[in-house]
Amino acid sequence: MQHLSCMTIFIFLVIGFQLLGCSETTDNDTSEEIDTSSAATLITEPIPIKPTPEETFEKLKTLFPKPIFDEEFTTLGEVTTSKTYLDFLTQEYRTEKPFKTLAAYLDVAQPDPERYTPFLKEFIKNPNETDIAIMHQITLQFRCANAMQYQMLLGGNILEAIFAVLEKKLGILNEKNVKAWRKLHFPEENFVSTIDDFVRETERVDTLFIQEQFEKHGKNDGILWVALRNPALTAEILNNFTNTDAFLKWINGDFFIEEP
């Protein structure tokens, strides 16, 4: 009897260990199945793809079927305030500070050093980010003043154009940070004419780019490609030009004829 009791206890212990082993195996198998399922879920989730300029162009053409190059840039303004365009802008042209409109993008976008550095090196040994930022600020205001002048001259308001442009340019040059920077780096004499020459050259470069888009794609598709490939220039166009008459003369170089 005593031998039988020992055997019985031994059998129960063996069965118990086997049950425990099965329980652990089952738990492990379940855990592995959950992990595998979770991994499979992660793999099958779609990865967001940034829209290409070509895809965005086609989508905008569908959303805005009427001519984009209209007399007062009305449709272009609608295009640049659309969610499709602004989503593309946000992904394609990332900025340190967020923006919600094209005009706001112009305020936060970093100026292109290649545009300003060669000019600044004529006066400043090692131009830095501050020098580029101030020169960019001056250039934007001078280009805006020039656009005002072009449009006023077409309207025959010559004296009004002269005073308006002078006021606009002196306004930026007399701002505290600009004034201090100018006195530090530039000789007082001929400063305005020096800046004017540089600004006109930036305009020539941009008008050449627009001409190329128009020649390749036509005016309607061309202005849309300008918006996709150079949003800062597009923001200037919408801000500075009220109609296409002066704009077309500008891109054709009618205002860049050098005086003898």
Side-chain angles (χ1 to χ4, degrees), residues 23-197:
S23 175
E24 288 176 1
T25 303
T26 303
D27 288 343
N28 288 337
D29 289 346
T30 303
S31 176
E32 288 175 2
E33 287 177 5
I34 291 172
D35 288 342
T36 303
S37 172
S38 182
T41 303
L42 289 173
I43 292 170
T44 56
E45 286 179 355
I47 300 172
I49 300 174
K50 185 173 73 171
T52 65
E54 291 76 16
E55 290 169 341
T56 306
F57 174 84
E58 294 299 335
K59 190 170 183 180
L60 288 169
K61 285 283 289 182
T62 302
L63 291 172
F64 299 92
K66 59 185 178 181
I68 295 176
F69 192 80
D70 54 29
E71 187 177 348
E72 296 179 347
F73 296 111
T74 303
T75 306
L76 181 61
E78 293 172 359
V79 167
T80 58
T81 56
S82 69
K83 186 177 185 301
T84 297
Y85 180 76
L86 291 173
D87 285 348
F88 168 78
L89 197 62
T90 302
Q91 295 179 67
E92 188 75 9
Y93 301 96
R94 296 187 180 277
T95 58
E96 291 183 3
K97 296 180 181 179
F99 60 89
K100 293 184 178 179
T101 65
L102 181 59
Y105 166 78
L106 185 61
D107 291 334
V108 299
Q110 291 295 315
D112 181 8
E114 292 184 6
R115 166 162 280 188
Y116 300 104
T117 302
F119 170 76
L120 288 172
K121 280 185 175 180
E122 296 178 21
F123 306 93
I124 305 171
K125 185 176 181 180
N126 294 307
N128 55 32
E129 289 185 2
T130 300
D131 299 319
I132 292 171
I134 292 177
M135 192 62 216
H136 178 61
Q137 185 183 1
I138 294 171
T139 301
L140 288 180
Q141 292 302 312
F142 269 50
R143 284 168 61 116
C144 181
N146 287 343
M148 289 169 50
Q149 182 182 43
Y150 305 150
Q151 291 170 110
M152 288 180 177
L153 289 175
L154 284 182
N157 303 317
I158 299 175
L159 287 177
E160 185 180 348
I162 292 172
F163 285 115
V165 169
L166 187 61
E167 182 180 12
K168 186 82 173 174
K169 292 181 177 181
L170 288 178
I172 183 66
L173 295 179
N174 285 324
E175 287 190 8
K176 188 175 180 180
N177 65 324
V178 175
K179 196 171 184 178
W181 176 82
R182 177 166 60 93
K183 287 184 176 181
L184 180 64
H185 295 296
F186 288 85
E188 193 68 30
E189 61 276 6
N190 301 324
F191 174 75
V192 174
S193 62
T194 301
I195 297 297
D196 266 328
D197 290 342

